[in-house]
Amino acid sequence: MSDLGTVVWKEWRELRAQNADFGGTAVIITVLVLLAIVAGMAAIAGPEIVRTPFVLVISATPVFAVIGTICEAFAGERERHTLETLLASRVSTEALLIGKIIVNVLYAWGGAVLLFLLLVIGANVPKLGRQIVLPSPGITLTIFVVIPLMLLLVCTAGVLVSLRSPTVRQAQSKLVVFFMGIGFLFLIPFLVIRSLFPHLMADARQMAASPNFAIVSIAAWSVILLILDTVMLLAARWRFQRQRMIVTR
Amino acid sequence: MDAIVCENLTRAFGSLRAVDGISFSVSAGRIFALLGANGAGKTTTIHLLLGLLDPTSGRASVLGFDSRTEGERVRARCGALLEHHGLYERLTAEENLDFYARIARIGPDARSKRIRELLEHFGLWERRRDRVVTFSRGMKQKLAIARALIHTPPVVFLDEPTAGLDPEAVVSLRKDIAALASEHGATVFLNTHNLADAEKLSDVVGVMRRGKLLAVGTPDELQGDTTVTIAGTGITEEHAAAVGGSIVAGRLSIRLRAGDSVAPVVRELVTRGVGIEEVRKERTGLEDIFLDLVAKESE
């Protein structure tokens, strides 16, 4: 447990230093301006926007951003020649793996929650004094359950590909190809069903109109993501072998 | 007691034998230098000893722990400066040491004390809050050694510690490495292709080439031969032949084995009427020994 805390501590410091490298104060100002724009857009759109998928699309943007940072996990250490020394220390395998994943998940999820809160507050500001419009339970559950699970999937996949990648760039390319593959894996059956069994699509549309559909589908997606997360974590643990990581350069 | 033991240690990568059946041991508190050109198998040997690679055959142990099966125990008791300094350049000097001190599970008070002690010793205390990326190569190398020593390990592995440093930094670093053994009682395993490092620092030297250990011994044992040069009047080829030497640049040159005295040679020459003006004894350098061993192995 102390090893895990130590790895999280180091990763957090590196992430902060990395952000400072990109311009420090200038980055903070840019981020604040972007956040102000998001809140402003929500204010212009009005309270009803918090009940539309727009909130989800904006709040989920950190999921894409984390693809860039998670590939730094091991490929970055390898590229900067710090991996060998780290592996030669007493730090445990589990702490290294989980520590790197935790920091990236929390960092991106924090961003997602911040965006979500900004949208909700921004949208309600012009109608202050009236009843506050809150997002639907489906949207709220997606932000607080589905997005962390999605981030966990992206991060474990990122760690998995970065374990043996010689450079961060290569790891990022692999990860993008990996998720494109996953996308096709879901898209192809959907297209096949739509063209071969149109009545099933009609049934699905009918189901989607039912009041419990959002909750049921979130529960189903959560279970699927949880299973995928577990499988990916186990695969990463299995693939993490100190001696393979030294040889594969 | 032996701190490091290798028994017929072999590591192959496909058809290449990076380490080929090497055997040696290093007593606790001694400095062992593994000497060899780039690609000789020195770094692979360190990886095998630290349990970062499994041997293809043979065995290695550090402080009595098997490097293959008890790698974690070995790594917990060793400090290492590997091929690259391995410092996090975005972090400060203090943060780098703090990270490895936390990994070594040193408590907060002891950690601060130890970090200060090491940074002061290596002259980096004033720069503790500066990011490592701003350091010179020599400073990074010193910081990396400080990191290797953060948990006061009984065994320290140093892979080419003086590579790329300026002469002043090399001298200073050599003093620090020597102090590891003499003041702190640590066993130091030094990989180097720098003959001067091996000659000046080590108690025992191993010469490695193409994965094979060509020779192991103290510098004295390896540098056993002495070359004697005698200048004087009336020296001829006949005199040289009589004492088993040769004439080089007008002087008589003779190679003596370890323990042989030059006095009988001088006496013989005087008896034969040579007027001795100067006798100079020179140890055969480690460089000559190294080149000699490598040449023999190539044949």
Side-chain angles (χ1 to χ4, degrees):
Chain A
M1 196 63 199
S2 71
D3 269 6
L4 182 61
T6 300
V7 174
V8 169
W9 174 87
K10 189 278 270 180
E11 290 294 316
W12 185 253
R13 295 221 161 206
E14 273 222 293
L15 212 57
R16 265 179 37 195
Q18 189 183 340
N19 288 343
D21 281 347
F22 286 127
T25 317
V27 171
I28 293 169
I29 292 169
T30 311
V31 169
L32 288 176
V33 168
L34 285 174
L35 292 176
I37 290 171
V38 169
M41 276 165 52
I44 292 165
E48 285 311 312
I49 198 168
V50 301
R51 290 188 166 266
T52 67
F54 175 78
V55 176
L56 281 181
V57 173
I58 297 292
S59 303
T61 45
V63 177
F64 301 102
V66 88
I67 289 178
T69 56
I70 191 62
C71 290
E72 284 267 329
F74 291 99
E77 296 255 11
R78 184 176 285 114
E79 207 172 83
R80 294 190 297 274
H81 304 297
T82 51
L83 184 62
E84 207 181 9
T85 303
L86 189 60
L87 295 175
S89 73
R90 71 180 298 171
V91 69
S92 74
T93 302
E94 288 75 17
L96 266 180
L97 268 179
I98 297 169
K100 283 177 181 286
I101 291 171
I102 282 181
V103 169
N104 281 280
V105 167
L106 290 179
Y107 197 63
W109 189 44
V113 170
L114 181 68
L115 284 169
F116 173 70
L117 292 175
L118 267 177
L119 285 166
V120 173
I121 294 165
N124 281 289
V125 163
K127 307 278 181 183
L128 274 179
R130 297 186 198 175
Q131 196 180 8
I132 293 172
V133 179
L134 293 172
S136 66
I139 289 176
T140 312
L141 275 173
T142 303
I143 298 289
F144 288 96
V145 179
V146 178
I147 285 189
L149 289 171
M150 270 172 72
L151 282 167
L152 194 56
L153 181 67
V154 174
C155 289
T156 45
V159 160
L160 198 58
V161 298
S162 95
L163 277 175
R164 305 270 171 88
S165 297
T167 63
V168 176
R169 217 186 163 112
Q170 203 178 91
Q172 285 169 342
S173 308
K174 280 186 194 170
L175 193 58
V176 168
V177 170
F178 175 81
F179 279 108
M180 277 169 67
I182 296 243
F184 278 117
L185 216 63
F186 282 98
L187 188 67
I188 290 167
F190 173 76
L191 293 174
V192 169
I193 290 169
R194 198 173 72 164
S195 56
L196 296 180
F197 312 101
H199 61 281
L200 284 179
M201 292 305 293
D203 290 349
R205 269 195 292 274
Q206 222 169 12
M207 267 173 64
S210 73
N212 290 332
F213 177 75
I215 303 296
V216 172
S217 62
I218 285 169
W221 273 111
S222 300
V223 171
I224 291 169
L225 284 169
L226 205 59
I227 292 168
L228 285 174
D229 288 344
T230 310
V231 169
M232 296 293 272
L233 259 176
L234 290 173
R237 177 62 191 90
W238 173 78
R239 208 171 147 85
F240 188 110
Q241 291 163 31
R242 281 180 200 244
Q243 60 162 282
R244 296 290 296 272
M245 290 169 75
I246 292 279
V247 177
T248 314
R249 280 193 277 195
Chain B
M1 185 212 162
D2 289 333
I4 298 171
V5 179
C6 287
E7 289 168 9
N8 206 20
L9 191 65
T10 301
R11 171 69 201 207
F13 297 106
S15 59
L16 174 77
R17 284 183 162 234
V19 173
D20 194 358
I22 65 172
S23 300
F24 63 87
S25 59
V26 183
S27 306
R30 310 294 292 273
I31 299 180
F32 177 87
L34 194 53
L35 192 62
N38 292 332
K42 307 186 301 288
T43 298
T44 307
T45 305
I46 285 193
H47 286 160
L48 288 164
L49 286 165
L50 283 170
L52 296 174
L53 283 176
D54 281 351
T56 308
S57 63
R59 104 176 246 284
S61 71
V62 177
L63 297 167
F65 297 108
D66 187 288
S67 297
R68 190 175 68 81
T69 57
E70 297 171 292
E72 281 192 26
R73 287 181 169 185
V74 170
R75 289 189 289 273
R77 289 160 178 81
C78 294
L81 163 61
L82 300 174
E83 204 176 353
H84 302 281
H85 56 67
L87 297 163
Y88 293 98
E89 300 212 344
R90 288 177 188 145
L91 303 185
T92 65
E94 199 172 28
E95 284 171 336
N96 267 280
L97 295 190
D98 202 1
F99 174 55
Y100 279 94
R102 284 166 189 253
I103 284 180
R105 292 164 200 170
I106 302 173
D109 291 341
R111 204 160 64 214
S112 310
K113 202 175 148 208
R114 181 73 177 142
I115 290 171
R116 182 172 188 142
E117 192 179 292
L118 285 167
L119 287 176
E120 279 180 346
H121 174 78
F122 286 104
L124 296 170
W125 178 247
E126 300 301 318
R127 300 286 306 270
R128 66 190 181 281
R129 300 223 165 100
D130 289 348
R131 292 168 77 182
V132 172
V133 71
T134 64
F135 283 18
S136 69
R137 188 170 160 77
M139 288 162 76
K140 284 178 189 171
Q141 207 72 342
K142 286 192 165 199
L143 183 62
I145 293 183
R147 180 202 56 214
L149 303 179
I150 194 81
H151 54 306
T152 330
V155 177
V156 184
F157 290 94
L158 303 173
D159 196 352
E160 306 284 3
T162 59
L165 297 183
D166 60 69
E168 204 180 329
V170 168
V171 171
S172 155
L173 204 54
R174 275 191 197 138
K175 277 185 195 160
D176 291 329
I177 294 170
L180 288 179
S182 61
E183 290 171 25
H184 306 288
T187 307
V188 180
F189 188 99
L190 179 72
N191 266 1
T192 185
H193 60 243
N194 186 325
L195 294 149
D197 279 350
E199 203 160 8
K200 290 187 172 143
L201 284 172
S202 56
D203 299 309
V204 183
V205 180
V207 179
M208 203 172 181
R209 180 175 152 87
R210 291 185 186 158
K212 287 189 173 153
L213 198 59
L214 305 182
V216 187
T218 64
D220 273 352
E221 283 166 356
L222 291 179
Q223 302 174 80
D225 292 355
T226 306
T227 303
V228 177
T229 311
I230 300 171
T233 52
I235 298 176
T236 62
E237 289 284 354
E238 198 182 312
H239 293 133
V243 292
S246 58
I247 304 288
V248 179
R251 291 163 181 241
L252 192 153
S253 176
I254 181 169
R255 199 156 168 171
L256 297 178
R257 295 197 153 202
D260 286 356
S261 166
V262 73
V265 175
V266 173
R267 203 177 302 126
E268 176 67 28
L269 290 171
V270 170
T271 311
R272 288 172 179 259
V274 172
I276 306 282
E277 289 172 353
E278 184 188 3
V279 177
R280 183 179 290 172
K281 283 173 82 177
E282 272 178 65
R283 265 274 169 85
T284 309
L286 204 50
E287 187 174 343
D288 295 324
I289 300 295
F290 176 70
L291 294 173
D292 207 29
L293 283 166
V294 167
K296 274 183 197 158
E297 202 265 340
S298 300
E299 287 162 14

